[in-house]
Amino acid sequence: MINRVLVFGMTENPGGVESFLINYYRNINREKIQFDFLCNSHEPVAYEEELIALGGRTFHITARSKNRLLYKKELEEVFRFHAEEWSAIWVNVCSLANIDYLKIAKKYNIKKRIIHSHNSRNMDSKLRGILHHLNKLSIEKYATDFWACSDDAARWFYSGETLKKVVIIHNAIDVERMRFDPEKRNEIRDKYELQGKFVIGNVGRLHFQKNQEFAIEVFKLYHEKHPDSVLALVGQGEDEGKLKAKVKEYGLSDSVLFPGVQKNIQGWLSSFDLFLFPSVFEGLGIAALEAQAVGIPVLASKDVIPKEVKINDNFEFFDLKEGSEGWCNKLEDMSSQKRTEYDTVKENFVKNGYDIETEASKLEDFL
């Protein structure tokens, strides 16, 4: 008999949580466990075609922020008609501001109710921050299992006795799928006229959390010394207009790319010479893991990105307090570092518990 698990966490944006979920879904034994996906949007979510092709179902409801009454009605209907089909619900979120999915799962007697933390700080409004802290006090009433992607993410979501029950689920990567691809590198470099350039890249939501504004300031200084350099900011988000305005103000429009959301992340990472990751907070930072799976050097925020993210030797932490000038100097120091070869990358990921082949079977046991 196949156990079906209802999963919340897939949105329209192919970000870190979505990447985490598809990585595990591709690699679990789907003859034993199948996923269905609860989506708070009536638009197709990231990887939707693949989710369905792998045997999953998607249940679309109106977002609570758009129409609270319709959201409650549609959520109730999903559980009234399907709750008995699920052995568990697995809620993947960056905040506890909304725990309705766990509450309704309890109401409909879904025995295993998992809450999974994917962040280490509030990235939303002040109100959602208050709701997060209020729900933190009552989460044990509704969840039966408490997961997190890192120790930092666990401390942001849980406290007291609950914190002692936390299981860390690694944001594991399909290393083979993400390995460096010279053909894709050349395709992207040809298309965007990047041949002969030193490409510094970042992949993520264009949002203050990811600190792309600082990345542009660092790049401005670096580009003054190295005019053959390019910065590529892959993704979309609410800061896009502000970031483009800053690039224009600095006279860098010909040297900073905004290619938007891209499905071919492996190709884009292969096209980079260095991954710049100056986030102001992170639960774990799956983009930095994917960059390491490709083998490229990574420069990341110290005391912000969890230490366990470092897999390869060419990954370095640096303090944001050093400012744009310090980061520019560090970039120069790292610009001669070589890509880590695939065999070493694979060995490093397995050793550190971030290889999907070994981690997917552990997840099956937990589910």
Side-chain angles (χ1 to χ4, degrees):
M1 180 182 166
I2 294 176
N3 283 319
R4 296 199 81 90
V5 176
L6 181 63
V7 180
F8 179 82
M10 276 294 183
T11 72
E12 296 166 46
N13 180 46
V17 175
E18 293 80 3
S19 181
F20 162 82
L21 289 171
I22 193 66
N23 280 339
Y24 272 99
Y25 192 33
R26 286 168 179 153
N27 287 278
I28 60 167
N29 183 345
R30 292 184 301 280
E31 292 180 3
K32 286 168 55 181
I33 296 174
Q34 258 299 349
F35 289 171
D36 291 330
F37 297 87
L38 179 63
C39 316
N40 60 354
S41 165
H42 284 287
E43 295 300 316
V45 293
Y47 312 107
E48 178 140 2
E49 287 183 12
E50 185 177 357
L51 302 179
I52 293 166
L54 292 173
R57 297 176 297 177
T58 54
F59 296 88
H60 291 266
I61 62 171
T62 300
R64 185 170 77 164
S65 59
K66 291 196 172 175
N67 187 322
R68 188 178 287 263
L69 287 175
L70 196 55
Y71 153 80
K72 285 195 166 183
K73 177 178 176 285
E74 292 173 353
L75 182 62
E76 187 78 35
E77 284 176 355
V78 168
F79 279 81
R80 188 165 70 246
F81 292 115
H82 299 281
E84 63 184 20
E85 300 165 21
W86 298 312
S87 60
I89 183 170
W90 178 20
V91 178
N92 295 268
V93 282
C94 294
S95 159
L96 291 172
N98 181 6
I99 58 171
D100 290 350
Y101 313 110
L102 294 168
K103 289 179 178 179
I104 197 165
K106 183 178 182 181
K107 175 184 171 181
Y108 280 91
N109 300 314
I110 295 177
K111 289 189 169 52
K112 194 173 188 71
R113 302 181 298 276
I114 305 155
I115 183 70
H116 191 151
S117 169
H118 287 273
N119 218 339
S120 61
R121 209 180 100 186
N122 183 33
M123 57 188 284
D124 293 311
S125 66
K126 198 170 182 179
L127 173 61
R128 283 181 66 82
I130 292 167
L131 289 171
H132 169 84
H133 286 290
L134 287 172
N135 287 330
K136 193 172 175 177
L137 302 173
S138 61
I139 191 64
E140 281 231 36
K141 288 184 190 174
Y142 305 106
T144 59
D145 295 73
F146 309 92
W147 294 0
C149 62
S150 68
D151 290 337
D152 289 348
R155 283 189 290 271
W156 157 240
F157 260 55
Y158 313 115
S159 59
E161 291 301 309
T162 315
L163 195 53
K164 297 175 185 175
K165 301 175 185 176
V166 173
V167 174
I168 301 296
I169 304 293
H170 288 155
N171 284 8
I173 298 293
D174 186 337
V175 182
E176 172 62 35
R177 194 182 183 98
M178 291 301 296
R179 73 186 293 174
F180 175 75
D181 189 322
E183 285 186 18
K184 288 181 181 175
R185 175 182 171 89
N186 285 327
E187 273 175 30
I188 288 171
R189 284 181 160 250
D190 286 344
K191 180 177 178 180
Y192 290 90
E193 298 180 354
L194 300 175
Q195 298 291 11
K197 306 279 189 182
F198 184 79
V199 181
I200 299 162
N202 175 275
V203 176
R205 184 177 166 196
L206 303 181
H207 182 272
F208 82 90
Q209 176 195 2
K210 305 298 182 182
N211 211 11
Q212 288 101 344
E213 191 168 2
F214 179 72
I216 292 167
E217 290 169 9
V218 174
F219 178 72
K220 175 181 180 287
L221 298 177
Y222 186 87
H223 187 71
E224 286 169 2
K225 300 179 185 179
H226 306 278
D228 61 344
S229 58
V230 169
L231 176 65
L233 300 175
V234 178
Q236 67 182 20
E238 47 269 62
D239 282 2
E240 186 170 342
K242 181 170 72 170
L243 296 173
K244 286 182 174 176
K246 194 173 191 76
V247 167
K248 188 175 180 182
E249 177 194 333
Y250 286 164
L252 292 170
S253 297
D254 292 335
S255 301
V256 179
L257 295 177
F258 288 92
V261 171
Q262 297 289 324
K263 291 182 179 177
N264 180 21
I265 295 301
Q266 176 216 18
W268 275 95
L269 290 170
S270 295
S271 78
F272 297 165
D273 296 299
L274 185 142
F275 191 82
L276 187 60
F277 202 51
S279 299
V280 291
F281 60 97
E282 285 286 346
L284 187 87
I286 202 163
L289 288 171
E290 290 177 336
Q292 289 180 91
V294 173
I296 56 176
V298 178
L299 176 58
S301 313
K302 184 181 178 183
D303 300 326
V304 171
I305 314 296
K307 290 186 178 71
E308 52 261 49
V309 172
K310 179 177 168 120
I311 305 291
N312 296 335
D313 288 341
N314 60 351
F315 182 111
E316 295 197 29
F317 289 108
F318 201 64
D319 201 324
L320 287 171
K321 291 174 186 171
E322 297 290 337
S324 53
E325 202 164 305
W327 275 67
C328 173
N329 293 336
K330 188 66 179 174
L331 265 183
E332 289 189 284
D333 291 343
M334 291 186 67
S335 61
S336 59
Q337 289 195 17
K338 303 298 181 191
R339 191 172 43 80
T340 303
E341 292 300 323
Y342 175 73
D343 289 347
T344 304
V345 169
K346 179 73 173 176
E347 184 182 324
N348 291 346
F349 270 78
V350 172
K351 183 174 68 181
N352 285 280
Y354 284 92
D355 177 58
I356 196 68
E357 287 180 29
T358 51
E359 296 305 303
S361 61
K362 293 180 188 176
L363 184 83
E364 289 168 22
D365 293 338
F366 286 130
L367 288 171

